[in-house]
Amino acid sequence: MQPAPAEPAQILEAHSTVLGEGMPIARALPSRHRRMVGAWCFLDHFGPVDVAHGSGMRVGPHPHVGLQTVTWLVEGEVLHRDSLGTVQRIRPGQLNLMTAGRGISHSEESPLQRPARLHGAQLWIALPASQRHREPAFQHLPEIPRLRHQGLALSVLAGEFLGERSPADVHTPLLGLELLADSATQATLALRGDFEHALMMLEREASFDGHALAPGRLLVLPAGRHSLQVRTDGAARCLLLGGEPFTEPMRMWWNFVARTPEELRKASEDWNAQAGYFGQVHGYDGPWLRAPLPPG
Ligand code: MN
């Protein structure tokens, strides 16, 4: 039997929104046309932006449940504080993975002494049923696997590629890979046919299987593809994200991932009442963020 033809690719426009106190971002997921790619459920691209003047990034203490956050910087620095007592400067090329499980809170800010530019991505991964009530954790990985492949510099953020496995603790079959070209490049990447994938451009432009892509758009490749043709006319940087389709009945509200509207409402109300399971963030000079209540 011939394999079923793969579904067509989809291009999504990211929508512009504001993070914390005025940091403009482009949010590719969730979108009206697509909620997830594998367990990846939230894709934000911030910058490049000049943070030499003003307060830079300031996102006051806020909670998460049921998900992991991946922070990946291209330029600049972010200071992360969380309710586990972690105080971590996040720098380009380092992977930072916060696992919320049953509940965590954190703040994110530009440190006082900082490079002039800030540019990066924050990505969320929905946790499966077996992990979503687990204890929270924070993993700072200053080194992740890097390899050269057909002219591309690849960094393995999550999962495995060409035999190199990221030490990031993820809980569903996933791929997070940065592709960096420093000049015109043509390459072929092997894909897992059981994964769906997305490409998120961080710098400049490239084409993937003939689809031109620039920052502000997401190219989604449904499962059933076994390779990807990458072509750039010069330097370019993007993220390739993939995973097994996430089939649990996931729901999102604000900073929470759960399964039912009742769970989302409870998480919002519990945070606004400062329930103990979210812990406390110490050292952030500003107010904590109140949760909006879900409709109903
Ligand atoms: Mn957060």
Side-chain angles (χ1 to χ4, degrees), residues 40 145 156-161 164-168 170 172-177 195:
W40 299 100
V156 187
L157 282 60
E160 192 204 311
F161 198 79
E164 296 284 343
R165 172 160 284 280
S166 165
V170 296
T172 49
L174 271 189
L175 174 66
L177 190 68
F195 277 17

Side-chain angles (χ1 to χ4, degrees), residues 62 64 106 108 122:
H62 62 278
H64 291 282
H106 74 142
E108 294 152 294
Q122 193 175 83

Side-chain angles (χ1 to χ4, degrees), residues 148-152 185-189:
R148 302 270 332 168
H149 177 69
Q150 297 178 3
L152 292 171
T185 300
Q186 258 186 290
T188 303
L189 303 183

